[in-house]
Amino acid sequence: MGYLEPILWAIAAVMVYVTARIIKYAGRAKNELEHSLSVFLLAMMASMFGGATVYFLYRGPESLVAAVAVSSAVMVGAFIPVLNTLVKLSSTQSPPPQLQGLLSRRVGGRLLIVLLAIVNEVLMGWAFALASAQLNPSTGVVVQLDQAVASYWFVFPMAAEMALSSYYFRRDFERSVYIVFVFQAAIMVLTPTAIANSRWEEVSVYVGGSMMTAMFIYVFDYLYKHRRLNSVFGEYIFRLLVVYTLMMGGLFLWMVTQQPALFDASIVGEMLIYFDGVLSPLRYAESKQRSWLLEPSWTFRMLVAIFAAEFFMGGVFDLEYYGVHTFLSTLTLAPLMGNPLSMVGAAAYNFVEAFSLITGSAWYLIMMGAEMGSLVVFRIREVKVRETRVRLTLMLLAYFAYAVLLPYFVIPSSELPNIPFVGQAMGIGTVSPVAPAFAFGLVTTYLIYGALSLLFGSRALCSVTCTAATMYQGTFYDVMKSFNRTTKMGRKLLGSRITKTYKVVSTLVWISLVAAATVSYLNSTGRINLTVYGEDAAQFLYSFYFNFLWYIVFMLIPFIGTYGCVTTGMCHWGMTNQWISRLGFFRLKVKDRNTCIKCPTKDCSKACPVGNTDMPGQFIAKGEFRASKCIGVGDCVESCPYGNIYFYDVRNWLREKLGAKPKTTAEIQLNQATKS
Ligand code: SF4
Ligand code: SF4
């Protein structure tokens, strides 16, 4: 077998080159003849590999005859359209001139080329896997196909073909489309199923996942910079995200069950959309533009697709890092039995638990941090106000130290509930029941956060330490704050007033919190025995709100606007600190009310990601803005063209009391502008 593999690889390399050239030829076909010839050439290759597969499957004299028959049938079948075209052309005096890229406008023709290219690759992978004895010909056809597509005989030639055809079409697309194509080829190489080796699996999961994360960051940045987006490219990105969701879901399933079927289907799906993409340069060039910020439904499905892909990617990282058994053993599921109602209850509980297992895991948070954190870094580069730059930097550091490093890798989980500020970071239920044994950690956390909110405003939590801040404040997500003002629900939640929705939601949230905390306390002191399918009530509620519902609210940005956790009143922890902040020193002040009166644009009201649009009115009336819903993001300070707004907190108050000249954000900004 020693010489066989190099020979097969040499053949594979030639086939990759030839297929990529044919795809290029097909993509640039100007007339029917060129299109038919491309089909014929691909079909010839398919016939060759089809014959080889038949031969290796049923070795023997009859199989030779069958192989020749299969090859001839495919070849003759594919030659008929060429012949027809030739006959047609010979009877036409002057064929009408066609634009280069005939296939761009022909879905059927494109599909034929794409399917033939895929069939070629599948057959080649199958034949070579059989020839190199990696497949057992006596197993079922579906099993063999499954293993062939997951093997390197399919994956590596496919990746090479994608890379080569991306190169060939590099001038036919704008640079960003080409970059996405290249990312795809690189991700394809790093397929964990390709080589049956644990080292390869480890490297490909981490490097491939990082590559996919980098591609998502690139796409986010692209969308941020192209608010008017090429429709065809937008659809391409969406389909790619759906395929990557299937790919990551398939990989998750493969790591747990060793069944690659879903993963294989996703690879084939990716090829389908990839080749369909490269064969459509004219569609890109002629596509209309869409303003995605004016299309909530389109943006919503993008966000769902992005979340789904990231969700499974986080799960795959977790499985690889902790090991399948260890990671899944932390999942406690309710048995599905009893009457229909209890079965539905158990199923809903299991769904939330499985969802939270990943969204509350270290690797999901690391991956999200890398992604969202990069967008925050892009944002820092754009921000002019020093105080906001400092806050955004602190926010990033807090995310990695406080949401990932300390709780998951430094502090043992048994000690976490007793560590003030870090352990019970989101209040009741974060990491422990409401029990006397954990009272110190819980009470001190409330006291520290309460003191910070009183002195500096709730920005210590909602704009620095809460992971939500990093998620909302990167470039791509920040720009979606326009949905606060353009959607029906977003408009209902606008302003610093307490809306009807806020009252209803927050009342329900507080009732559930008090009930869960009481049950948790009574249960932990042994007075009752009541849990949610064996889980502490307060911890379940924490998980439900922050690991499940919060993400749903996040994906609903296109319908309710950004910072739904603040505007709807769904976060009791944020609300507690926001109300303490309202009673404390923190507020926004303006240097000169007259500037606001004369201000024609009122930019501050449009810049607030929470939707505090009534800011200018209060500046004019009182010279300051105080509201529980002001969480100190500071976009208003940044946006005011006159540098009129500044943050006011205990530091300013102390300076005033000590008779020192107050130092305002606006002054810092103006000083910087003067220096530069
Ligand atoms: S309201 Fe809650 S979830 Fe939202 S930023 Fe504040 S603490 Fe975080
Ligand atoms: S704070 Fe600035 S942007 Fe807002 S109303 Fe006053 S002058 Fe205009």
Side-chain angles (χ1 to χ4, degrees):
M1 205 45 77
Y3 64 92
L4 186 62
E5 285 228 3
I7 293 176
L8 292 178
W9 275 119
I11 299 172
V14 173
M15 297 321 291
V16 163
Y17 174 72
V18 172
T19 310
R21 295 292 299 200
I22 298 173
I23 297 271
K24 179 186 175 188
Y25 181 66
R28 297 199 172 146
K30 292 184 282 299
N31 52 47
E32 296 294 347
L33 184 60
E34 289 179 1
H35 175 223
S36 315
L37 271 175
S38 321
V39 173
F40 175 65
L41 291 171
L42 284 173
M44 271 210 338
M45 289 168 70
S47 76
M48 192 170 83
F49 290 118
T53 310
V54 170
Y55 172 74
F56 286 122
L57 266 178
Y58 315 102
R59 288 174 202 248
E62 297 85 6
S63 73
L64 257 183
V65 178
V68 172
V70 168
S71 304
S72 315
V74 177
M75 243 188 286
V76 171
F79 192 63
I80 291 171
V82 182
L83 213 58
N84 285 344
T85 314
L86 283 172
V87 171
K88 234 191 280 171
L89 281 178
S90 66
S91 59
T92 313
Q93 285 305 308
S94 49
Q98 302 262 19
L99 278 174
Q100 179 160 318
L102 175 84
L103 288 182
S104 284
R105 300 207 177 85
R106 300 232 175 128
V107 183
R110 221 163 50 231
L111 204 63
L112 187 60
I113 295 283
V114 173
L115 287 177
L116 277 170
I118 295 174
V119 167
N120 257 334
E121 291 302 329
V122 172
L123 287 176
M124 185 174 81
W126 194 2
F128 286 8
L130 279 167
S132 57
Q134 287 178 15
L135 290 183
N136 179 358
S138 59
T139 52
V141 168
V142 177
V143 175
Q144 285 188 52
L145 263 176
D146 226 14
Q147 290 172 350
V149 171
S151 77
Y152 56 71
W153 286 119
F154 175 81
V155 169
F156 292 163
M158 196 61 250
E161 214 166 284
M162 286 167 83
L164 209 55
S165 37
S166 297
Y167 175 75
Y168 285 147
F169 285 98
R170 69 193 181 286
R171 292 192 213 293
D172 296 18
F173 296 92
E174 64 168 292
R175 200 165 145 265
S176 31
V177 181
Y178 172 62
I179 288 174
V180 170
F181 287 161
V182 172
F183 263 122
Q184 278 183 261
I187 291 167
M188 181 66 98
V189 178
L190 294 156
T191 296
T193 59
I195 302 175
N197 171 309
S198 60
R199 190 85 194 129
W200 168 258
E201 183 187 311
E202 192 182 3
V203 170
S204 57
V205 162
Y206 289 129
V207 182
S210 308
M211 194 80 79
M212 206 180 273
T213 306
M215 194 191 93
F216 287 174
I217 295 170
Y218 181 79
V219 167
F220 290 150
D221 195 47
Y222 180 85
L223 290 173
Y224 170 67
K225 289 175 179 156
H226 296 80
R227 295 170 208 181
R228 278 182 62 71
L229 173 73
N230 180 305
S231 269
V232 173
F233 187 40
E235 268 325 292
Y236 185 83
I237 292 173
F238 174 70
R239 284 182 206 157
L240 191 59
L241 287 168
V242 172
V243 162
Y244 278 161
T245 302
L246 293 178
M247 194 177 272
M248 286 295 123
L251 202 51
F252 190 91
L253 213 61
W254 174 73
M255 290 170 89
V256 175
T257 65
Q258 291 301 304
Q259 295 298 322
L262 181 61
F263 184 69
D264 290 349
S266 70
I267 295 185
V268 174
E270 187 190 357
M271 284 175 60
L272 204 71
I273 63 159
Y274 170 81
F275 284 119
D276 183 55
V278 289
L279 288 172
S280 315
L282 283 183
R283 282 178 64 227
Y284 283 83
E286 294 166 355
S287 163
K288 61 179 172 33
Q289 306 283 308
R290 73 176 344 140
S291 300
W292 61 272
L293 280 172
L294 295 177
E295 294 186 45
S297 306
W298 188 87
T299 311
F300 173 67
R301 67 184 169 98
M302 279 296 277
L303 291 188
V304 173
I306 290 166
F307 172 80
E310 287 164 341
F311 177 84
F312 285 114
M313 198 198 302
V316 166
F317 280 146
D318 282 318
L319 289 180
E320 188 59 42
Y321 182 77
Y322 295 110
V324 175
H325 181 72
T326 312
F327 182 63
L328 293 183
S329 65
T330 55
L331 181 65
T332 45
L333 296 178
L336 293 177
M337 50 189 201
N339 60 39
L341 201 64
S342 47
M343 279 173 72
V344 170
Y349 172 81
N350 291 346
F351 179 74
V352 173
E353 281 301 289
F355 193 97
S356 308
L357 177 73
I358 292 178
T359 53
S361 73
W363 280 94
Y364 178 79
L365 289 170
I366 291 173
M367 191 252 317
M368 289 297 274
E371 219 172 273
M372 306 293 179
S374 303
L375 302 181
V376 172
V377 171
F378 298 159
R379 179 102 190 275
I380 291 174
R381 294 202 322 231
E382 293 177 1
V383 167
K384 291 190 282 305
V385 175
R386 193 175 143 268
E387 195 162 346
T388 306
R389 276 208 302 267
V390 171
R391 184 189 60 74
L392 289 171
T393 310
L394 281 177
M395 184 179 85
L396 282 184
L397 293 175
Y399 186 100
F400 284 102
Y402 179 76
V404 178
L405 198 64
L406 294 175
Y408 289 101
F409 298 100
V410 176
I411 303 171
S413 55
S414 56
E415 286 174 28
L416 208 50
N418 297 315
I419 310 284
F421 194 69
V422 180
Q424 310 277 5
M426 294 299 277
I428 284 172
T430 312
V431 281
S432 76
V434 183
F438 306 117
F440 173 76
L442 200 57
V443 172
T444 46
T445 301
Y446 270 82
L447 287 177
I448 294 172
Y449 268 112
L452 286 173
S453 297
L454 200 69
L455 300 175
F456 303 103
S458 59
R459 59 184 156 156
L461 168 67
C462 294
S463 295
V464 179
T465 58
C466 179
T467 50
T470 303
M471 307 261 184
Y472 275 121
Q473 289 184 30
T475 46
F476 171 65
Y477 287 96
D478 179 68
V479 85
M480 280 192 254
K481 63 191 171 193
S482 63
F483 287 120
N484 293 32
R485 285 173 288 110
T486 54
T487 60
K488 201 171 160 200
M489 189 62 195
R491 278 197 298 270
K492 274 192 186 168
L493 298 171
L494 276 182
S496 62
R497 80 213 141 89
I498 301 305
T499 60
K500 206 170 147 199
T501 309
Y502 187 99
K503 282 181 200 157
V504 173
V505 174
S506 59
T507 306
L508 291 174
V509 166
W510 278 99
I511 290 173
S512 66
L513 181 78
V514 171
T518 310
V519 169
S520 174
Y521 177 76
L522 294 176
N523 199 57
S524 60
T525 50
R527 283 177 230 179
I528 58 169
N529 184 10
L530 191 59
T531 57
V532 185
Y533 296 104
E535 187 180 0
D536 174 73
Q539 285 185 273
F540 170 73
L541 200 72
Y542 163 81
S543 217
F544 175 73
Y545 280 134
F546 293 113
N547 291 335
F548 176 69
L549 201 59
W550 189 90
Y551 286 96
I552 306 295
V553 170
F554 190 69
M555 282 185 274
L556 286 174
I557 289 176
F559 298 116
I560 64 172
T562 50
Y563 271 106
C565 51
V566 179
T567 57
T568 61
M570 67 146 277
C571 173
H572 59 79
W573 180 229
M575 207 189 310
T576 307
N577 285 280
Q578 287 149 21
W579 282 104
I580 295 174
S581 164
R582 174 71 182 79
L583 301 172
F585 293 94
F586 177 74
R587 68 208 64 186
L588 295 168
K589 283 198 171 198
V590 284
K591 287 167 69 185
D592 177 15
R593 285 155 67 173
N594 285 326
T595 309
C596 293
I597 294 170
K598 289 183 216 142
C599 173
T601 53
K602 309 280 190 273
D603 289 340
C604 55
S605 67
K606 295 171 216 144
C608 178
V610 182
N612 286 319
T613 43
D614 48 337
M615 216 180 278
Q618 291 204 32
F619 285 148
I620 291 168
K622 304 178 203 160
E624 65 175 33
F625 178 71
R626 271 182 98 180
S628 62
K629 286 188 190 170
C630 177
I631 54 168
V633 172
D635 287 1
C636 52
V637 180
E638 175 81 14
S639 72
C640 176
Y642 310 100
N644 202 24
I645 312 177
Y646 64 96
F647 285 121
Y648 182 97
D649 60 30
V650 68
R651 291 168 296 179
N652 305 64
W653 182 82
L654 276 175
R655 276 192 214 107
E656 280 172 12
K657 290 290 155 207
L658 296 172
K661 189 175 176 294
K663 198 173 182 188
T664 66
T665 311
E667 281 167 356
I668 295 167
Q669 194 182 355
L670 285 177
N671 285 344
Q672 282 171 345
T674 319
K675 273 183 210 157
S676 62

